[in-house]
Coordinates of all heavy atoms in Angstrom, one line a residue:
M16 N -13.1 36.9 -23.9 CA -12.4 35.7 -23.2 C -12.5 35.8 -21.7 O -12.5 36.9 -21.2 CB -11.0 35.5 -23.7 CG -10.9 35.3 -25.2 SD -9.5 34.4 -25.8 CE -8.1 35.2 -25.1
T17 N -12.5 34.7 -21.1 CA -12.7 34.6 -19.6 C -11.3 34.3 -19.0 O -10.5 33.6 -19.6 CB -13.7 33.5 -19.3 OG1 -14.9 33.7 -19.9 CG2 -13.9 33.4 -17.8
K18 N -11.1 34.9 -17.8 CA -9.9 34.6 -17.1 C -10.1 33.5 -16.1 O -11.2 33.4 -15.5 CB -9.5 35.9 -16.3 CG -8.1 35.8 -15.7 CD -7.7 37.1 -15.2 CE -6.2 37.1 -14.7 NZ -5.7 38.4 -14.5
Y19 N -9.1 32.6 -16.0 CA -9.2 31.4 -15.2 C -8.1 31.3 -14.2 O -7.0 31.9 -14.3 CB -9.2 30.2 -16.1 CG -10.3 30.0 -17.0 CD1 -10.3 30.6 -18.2 CD2 -11.4 29.3 -16.7 CE1 -11.3 30.5 -19.1 CE2 -12.5 29.2 -17.5 CZ -12.5 29.8 -18.8 OH -13.5 29.7 -19.6
Y20 N -8.4 30.6 -13.1 CA -7.4 30.3 -12.0 C -7.5 28.8 -11.6 O -8.5 28.2 -11.7 CB -7.7 31.2 -10.8 CG -7.6 32.6 -10.9 CD1 -8.6 33.4 -11.4 CD2 -6.4 33.3 -10.6 CE1 -8.5 34.8 -11.6 CE2 -6.3 34.6 -10.9 CZ -7.3 35.4 -11.3 OH -7.1 36.7 -11.6
V21 N -6.4 28.3 -11.1 CA -6.4 27.0 -10.5 C -6.0 27.1 -9.0 O -5.1 27.8 -8.7 CB -5.4 26.0 -11.3 CG1 -4.0 26.4 -11.2 CG2 -5.6 24.6 -10.8
N22 N -6.7 26.3 -8.2 CA -6.4 26.3 -6.8 C -5.1 25.5 -6.6 O -5.0 24.4 -7.0 CB -7.6 25.6 -6.1 CG -7.4 25.6 -4.6 OD1 -6.4 26.0 -4.0 ND2 -8.6 25.4 -3.9
N23 N -4.1 26.1 -5.9 CA -2.8 25.4 -5.7 C -2.9 24.3 -4.6 O -2.1 23.4 -4.6 CB -1.8 26.4 -5.3 CG -1.4 27.4 -6.4 OD1 -1.5 27.1 -7.6 ND2 -1.0 28.6 -6.0
T24 N -3.9 24.5 -3.7 CA -4.0 23.6 -2.6 C -5.1 22.6 -3.1 O -6.3 22.9 -3.4 CB -4.5 24.3 -1.3 OG1 -3.6 25.3 -1.0 CG2 -4.6 23.3 -0.2
P25 N -4.8 21.3 -3.1 CA -5.8 20.3 -3.5 C -6.9 20.1 -2.5 O -6.7 20.3 -1.3 CB -4.9 19.0 -3.6 CG -3.8 19.2 -2.7 CD -3.5 20.6 -2.7
Q26 N -8.0 19.7 -3.1 CA -9.2 19.3 -2.3 C -8.8 18.0 -1.5 O -7.8 17.4 -1.8 CB -10.4 19.1 -3.2 CG -10.8 20.3 -4.0 CD -11.2 21.5 -3.2 OE1 -11.8 21.4 -2.2 NE2 -10.8 22.7 -3.7
S27 N -9.7 17.6 -0.6 CA -9.4 16.3 0.2 C -9.3 15.1 -0.8 O -8.6 14.2 -0.4 CB -10.5 16.1 1.1 OG -11.8 16.0 0.5
N28 N -9.8 15.2 -1.9 CA -9.7 14.0 -2.9 C -8.5 14.1 -3.8 O -8.3 13.3 -4.7 CB -11.0 13.9 -3.7 CG -11.2 15.1 -4.6 OD1 -10.5 16.0 -4.7 ND2 -12.4 15.0 -5.3
G29 N -7.7 15.2 -3.7 CA -6.5 15.4 -4.4 C -6.7 16.3 -5.7 O -5.7 16.6 -6.4
D30 N -7.9 16.7 -6.0 CA -8.2 17.5 -7.2 C -7.8 19.0 -6.9 O -8.0 19.5 -5.8 CB -9.7 17.5 -7.5 CG -10.1 16.2 -8.1 OD1 -9.3 15.3 -8.4 OD2 -11.3 16.0 -8.3
H31 N -7.3 19.7 -7.9 CA -7.1 21.1 -8.0 C -8.2 21.7 -8.8 O -8.2 21.4 -10.0 CB -5.7 21.4 -8.5 CG -4.6 20.9 -7.7 ND1 -3.9 21.7 -6.8 CD2 -4.0 19.7 -7.6 CE1 -3.0 21.0 -6.2 NE2 -3.0 19.8 -6.7
D32 N -9.1 22.5 -8.2 CA -10.2 23.0 -9.0 C -9.7 24.2 -9.9 O -9.0 25.0 -9.5 CB -11.3 23.5 -8.1 CG -12.0 22.4 -7.4 OD1 -11.9 21.2 -7.9 OD2 -12.8 22.6 -6.5
V33 N -10.3 24.2 -11.1 CA -10.1 25.3 -12.0 C -11.4 26.2 -12.0 O -12.5 25.7 -12.1 CB -9.8 24.8 -13.4 CG1 -9.8 26.0 -14.4 CG2 -8.6 24.0 -13.5
H34 N -11.2 27.5 -11.7 CA -12.3 28.4 -11.6 C -12.2 29.6 -12.6 O -11.2 29.9 -13.0 CB -12.2 29.1 -10.2 CG -12.1 28.2 -9.0 ND1 -13.3 27.7 -8.4 CD2 -11.1 27.7 -8.3 CE1 -12.9 27.0 -7.4 NE2 -11.6 26.9 -7.3
T35 N -13.4 30.1 -12.9 CA -13.5 31.3 -13.7 C -13.3 32.5 -12.7 O -13.4 32.3 -11.5 CB -14.9 31.5 -14.3 OG1 -15.9 31.5 -13.3 CG2 -15.1 30.4 -15.4
E36 N -12.9 33.6 -13.2 CA -12.6 34.8 -12.4 C -13.8 35.3 -11.5 O -13.6 35.9 -10.5 CB -12.0 35.9 -13.2 CG -13.0 36.5 -14.1 CD -12.4 37.6 -15.0 OE1 -11.5 38.3 -14.6 OE2 -12.8 37.8 -16.1
D37 N -15.0 34.9 -11.9 CA -16.2 35.4 -11.2 C -16.8 34.3 -10.3 O -17.9 34.5 -9.8 CB -17.2 36.0 -12.2 CG -17.7 35.0 -13.2 OD1 -17.1 33.9 -13.3 OD2 -18.6 35.3 -13.9
C38 N -16.1 33.2 -10.1 CA -16.6 32.1 -9.3 C -16.7 32.5 -7.8 O -15.7 33.0 -7.3 CB -15.7 30.8 -9.5 SG -16.3 29.4 -8.5
F39 N -17.8 32.2 -7.2 CA -18.0 32.4 -5.8 C -17.0 31.8 -5.0 O -16.4 32.3 -4.0 CB -19.4 32.0 -5.4 CG -19.7 32.1 -3.9 CD1 -20.0 33.3 -3.4 CD2 -19.7 31.0 -3.1 CE1 -20.2 33.5 -2.0 CE2 -19.9 31.1 -1.7 CZ -20.2 32.4 -1.2
S40 N -16.6 30.5 -5.3 CA -15.6 29.7 -4.5 C -14.3 30.3 -4.6 O -13.5 30.0 -3.7 CB -15.6 28.3 -5.0 OG -16.9 27.6 -4.9
L41 N -13.9 31.0 -5.6 CA -12.6 31.5 -5.8 C -12.3 32.5 -4.7 O -11.1 32.6 -4.2 CB -12.5 32.2 -7.2 CG -11.1 32.7 -7.6 CD1 -10.1 31.5 -7.6 CD2 -11.1 33.4 -8.9
A42 N -13.3 33.2 -4.1 CA -13.1 34.2 -3.1 C -12.5 33.5 -1.8 O -11.9 34.1 -1.0 CB -14.4 34.8 -2.7
F43 N -12.7 32.2 -1.6 CA -12.3 31.5 -0.5 C -11.0 30.7 -0.8 O -10.5 30.0 0.1 CB -13.3 30.5 0.0 CG -14.6 31.2 0.4 CD1 -15.7 31.2 -0.6 CD2 -14.7 31.9 1.5 CE1 -16.8 31.9 -0.3 CE2 -15.9 32.6 1.8 CZ -16.9 32.6 0.9
T44 N -10.4 30.9 -2.0 CA -9.1 30.2 -2.3 C -8.0 31.1 -1.9 O -7.8 32.2 -2.4 CB -9.1 29.9 -3.9 OG1 -10.3 29.1 -4.2 CG2 -7.9 29.2 -4.3
L45 N -7.2 30.6 -1.0 CA -6.1 31.3 -0.5 C -4.9 31.4 -1.4 O -4.2 32.3 -1.5 CB -5.7 30.8 0.9 CG -6.8 30.9 2.0 CD1 -6.3 30.3 3.3 CD2 -7.2 32.4 2.2
S46 N -4.6 30.2 -2.1 CA -3.4 30.1 -2.9 C -3.9 29.7 -4.3 O -4.4 28.6 -4.5 CB -2.4 29.1 -2.3 OG -1.4 28.9 -3.2
K47 N -3.7 30.5 -5.3 CA -4.2 30.2 -6.7 C -3.2 30.6 -7.7 O -2.4 31.5 -7.4 CB -5.5 30.8 -6.9 CG -5.5 32.3 -6.8 CD -6.9 32.9 -6.8 CE -6.9 34.3 -6.6 NZ -7.3 34.7 -5.2
T48 N -3.2 30.0 -8.9 CA -2.4 30.4 -10.0 C -3.2 31.0 -11.1 O -4.3 30.4 -11.5 CB -1.6 29.2 -10.5 OG1 -0.7 28.7 -9.4 CG2 -0.7 29.5 -11.7
D49 N -2.8 32.1 -11.6 CA -3.5 32.7 -12.7 C -3.2 32.0 -14.0 O -2.0 31.8 -14.4 CB -3.0 34.2 -12.8 CG -3.7 35.0 -13.9 OD1 -4.4 34.4 -14.8 OD2 -3.6 36.2 -13.9
L50 N -4.2 31.4 -14.6 CA -4.0 30.7 -15.9 C -4.2 31.5 -17.1 O -4.0 31.1 -18.2 CB -5.1 29.5 -15.9 CG -5.0 28.4 -14.9 CD1 -6.2 27.5 -14.9 CD2 -3.7 27.7 -15.0
G51 N -4.6 32.8 -16.9 CA -4.7 33.7 -18.0 C -6.1 33.7 -18.6 O -7.0 33.0 -18.1
H52 N -6.3 34.3 -19.7 CA -7.6 34.4 -20.5 C -7.6 33.3 -21.5 O -6.6 33.1 -22.2 CB -7.7 35.8 -21.1 CG -8.0 36.8 -20.2 ND1 -7.0 37.5 -19.5 CD2 -9.1 37.4 -19.8 CE1 -7.5 38.5 -18.8 NE2 -8.8 38.4 -18.9
H53 N -8.7 32.6 -21.6 CA -8.9 31.5 -22.6 C -10.3 31.6 -23.2 O -11.2 32.1 -22.5 CB -8.7 30.2 -21.9 CG -7.4 29.9 -21.3 ND1 -6.3 29.5 -22.1 CD2 -6.8 30.1 -20.1 CE1 -5.2 29.4 -21.4 NE2 -5.5 29.8 -20.2
A54 N -10.4 31.1 -24.4 CA -11.6 31.2 -25.2 C -12.6 30.1 -24.6 O -13.8 30.3 -24.7 CB -11.3 30.9 -26.6
T55 N -12.1 29.0 -24.1 CA -12.9 28.0 -23.5 C -12.4 27.4 -22.2 O -11.3 27.6 -21.9 CB -13.0 26.8 -24.5 OG1 -11.8 26.2 -24.6 CG2 -13.5 27.2 -25.9
Y56 N -13.3 26.9 -21.5 CA -13.0 26.2 -20.2 C -12.0 25.1 -20.4 O -11.0 24.9 -19.7 CB -14.2 25.7 -19.5 CG -14.1 25.6 -18.0 CD1 -14.6 26.5 -17.1 CD2 -13.4 24.5 -17.4 CE1 -14.5 26.4 -15.8 CE2 -13.3 24.4 -16.1 CZ -13.8 25.3 -15.2 OH -13.6 25.2 -13.9
D57 N -12.2 24.4 -21.5 CA -11.3 23.2 -21.8 C -9.9 23.6 -22.0 O -8.9 22.9 -21.6 CB -11.7 22.4 -23.0 CG -13.0 21.6 -22.7 OD1 -13.3 21.3 -21.5 OD2 -13.7 21.3 -23.7
L58 N -9.6 24.8 -22.6 CA -8.3 25.3 -22.9 C -7.6 25.6 -21.5 O -6.4 25.3 -21.3 CB -8.3 26.5 -23.8 CG -8.6 26.2 -25.3 CD1 -8.8 27.5 -26.1 CD2 -7.6 25.3 -25.9
A59 N -8.4 26.3 -20.6 CA -7.8 26.6 -19.3 C -7.5 25.3 -18.5 O -6.5 25.2 -17.8 CB -8.8 27.5 -18.6
L60 N -8.4 24.3 -18.6 CA -8.2 23.1 -17.9 C -7.0 22.4 -18.4 O -6.1 21.9 -17.6 CB -9.4 22.2 -18.1 CG -9.5 20.9 -17.3 CD1 -9.4 21.2 -15.8 CD2 -10.7 20.2 -17.6
T61 N -6.7 22.4 -19.7 CA -5.5 21.7 -20.3 C -4.3 22.4 -19.8 O -3.3 21.7 -19.4 CB -5.6 21.8 -21.8 OG1 -6.7 21.1 -22.2 CG2 -4.3 21.2 -22.4
K62 N -4.3 23.7 -19.7 CA -3.1 24.4 -19.1 C -2.9 24.1 -17.7 O -1.8 23.9 -17.3 CB -3.3 25.9 -19.3 CG -2.1 26.7 -18.8 CD -2.2 28.2 -19.1 CE -0.9 28.9 -18.7 NZ -0.9 30.3 -19.0
A63 N -3.9 24.0 -16.9 CA -3.8 23.7 -15.5 C -3.3 22.3 -15.3 O -2.5 22.0 -14.4 CB -5.1 23.8 -14.8
Q64 N -3.7 21.4 -16.2 CA -3.2 20.0 -16.1 C -1.7 19.8 -16.4 O -1.2 18.7 -16.1 CB -4.1 19.1 -17.0 CG -5.5 18.9 -16.4 CD -6.5 18.3 -17.3 OE1 -6.3 18.2 -18.5 NE2 -7.6 17.7 -16.7
K65 N -1.1 20.8 -17.0 CA 0.3 20.7 -17.2 C 1.1 20.9 -15.9 O 2.2 20.4 -15.8 CB 0.7 21.8 -18.2 CG 0.3 21.5 -19.6 CD 0.7 22.7 -20.5 CE 0.1 22.4 -21.9 NZ 0.4 23.5 -22.9
T66 N 0.5 21.5 -14.9 CA 1.1 21.7 -13.6 C 0.5 20.7 -12.6 O 1.2 20.1 -11.8 CB 0.8 23.1 -13.1 OG1 1.3 24.1 -14.0 CG2 1.5 23.3 -11.8
F67 N -0.8 20.5 -12.6 CA -1.4 19.6 -11.7 C -2.2 18.5 -12.5 O -3.2 18.8 -13.1 CB -2.5 20.4 -10.9 CG -1.9 21.5 -10.0 CD1 -2.1 22.8 -10.4 CD2 -1.1 21.2 -8.9 CE1 -1.6 23.9 -9.6 CE2 -0.5 22.3 -8.2 CZ -0.8 23.6 -8.5
K68 N -1.7 17.3 -12.4 CA -2.4 16.2 -13.2 C -3.8 16.0 -12.8 O -4.7 15.7 -13.6 CB -1.7 14.9 -13.0 CG -0.3 14.8 -13.7 CD 0.2 13.4 -13.6 CE 1.5 13.4 -14.3 NZ 2.1 12.0 -14.3
R69 N -4.1 16.3 -11.5 CA -5.5 16.2 -11.1 C -6.3 17.5 -11.1 O -7.0 17.7 -10.2 CB -5.6 15.5 -9.7 CG -5.0 14.1 -9.8 CD -5.4 13.2 -8.7 NE -6.9 13.2 -8.5 CZ -7.5 12.6 -7.5 NH1 -6.7 11.8 -6.7 NH2 -8.8 12.7 -7.3
A70 N -6.1 18.3 -12.0 CA -6.8 19.6 -12.2 C -8.2 19.2 -12.8 O -8.2 18.5 -13.8 CB -6.1 20.6 -13.1
N71 N -9.2 19.7 -12.2 CA -10.6 19.4 -12.7 C -11.5 20.6 -12.6 O -11.1 21.5 -11.8 CB -11.2 18.3 -11.8 CG -10.6 16.9 -12.1 OD1 -10.7 16.5 -13.2 ND2 -9.9 16.3 -11.1
P72 N -12.6 20.7 -13.3 CA -13.4 21.8 -13.3 C -14.1 22.0 -11.9 O -14.5 21.0 -11.3 CB -14.5 21.5 -14.4 CG -13.9 20.4 -15.2 CD -13.0 19.7 -14.3
C73 N -14.2 23.2 -11.5 CA -15.0 23.6 -10.3 C -16.5 23.3 -10.7 O -17.0 23.7 -11.7 CB -14.8 25.1 -10.0 SG -16.0 25.7 -8.9
P74 N -17.2 22.5 -9.8 CA -18.6 22.2 -10.0 C -19.4 23.5 -10.2 O -20.4 23.5 -10.9 CB -18.9 21.4 -8.8 CG -17.7 20.9 -8.2 CD -16.6 21.9 -8.6
R75 N -19.2 24.5 -9.4 CA -20.0 25.7 -9.5 C -19.7 26.4 -10.9 O -20.7 27.0 -11.5 CB -19.6 26.8 -8.5 CG -20.0 26.3 -7.1 CD -19.6 27.4 -6.1 NE -19.8 27.0 -4.7 CZ -20.9 27.5 -4.0 NH1 -21.6 28.4 -4.5 NH2 -21.1 27.1 -2.8
C76 N -18.5 26.4 -11.4 CA -18.2 27.0 -12.6 C -18.9 26.3 -13.8 O -19.3 27.0 -14.8 CB -16.7 27.1 -12.9 SG -15.8 28.2 -11.7
I77 N -19.0 25.1 -13.8 CA -19.6 24.3 -14.9 C -21.0 24.0 -14.7 O -21.7 23.4 -15.5 CB -18.7 23.0 -15.3 CG1 -18.7 22.1 -14.1 CG2 -17.4 23.4 -15.7 CD1 -18.2 20.7 -14.4

Side-chain angles (χ1 to χ4, degrees):
M16 294 206 315
T17 304
K18 190 167 189 171
Y19 295 88
Y20 295 88
V21 62
N22 188 346
N23 294 331
T24 306
Q26 304 296 325
S27 59
N28 65 1
D30 289 352
H31 293 263
D32 288 346
V33 174
H34 303 275
T35 59
E36 65 184 330
D37 59 351
C38 177
F39 175 78
S40 298
L41 189 60
F43 302 100
T44 301
L45 300 177
S46 178
K47 59 188 175 259
T48 298
D49 183 344
L50 297 171
H52 289 85
H53 295 278
T55 67
Y56 204 103
D57 287 338
L58 291 172
L60 188 58
T61 298
K62 183 172 182 179
Q64 289 171 338
K65 290 178 181 177
T66 303
F67 301 110
K68 285 186 178 184
R69 294 202 49 185
N71 287 299
C73 164
R75 288 179 186 256
C76 293
I77 61 170

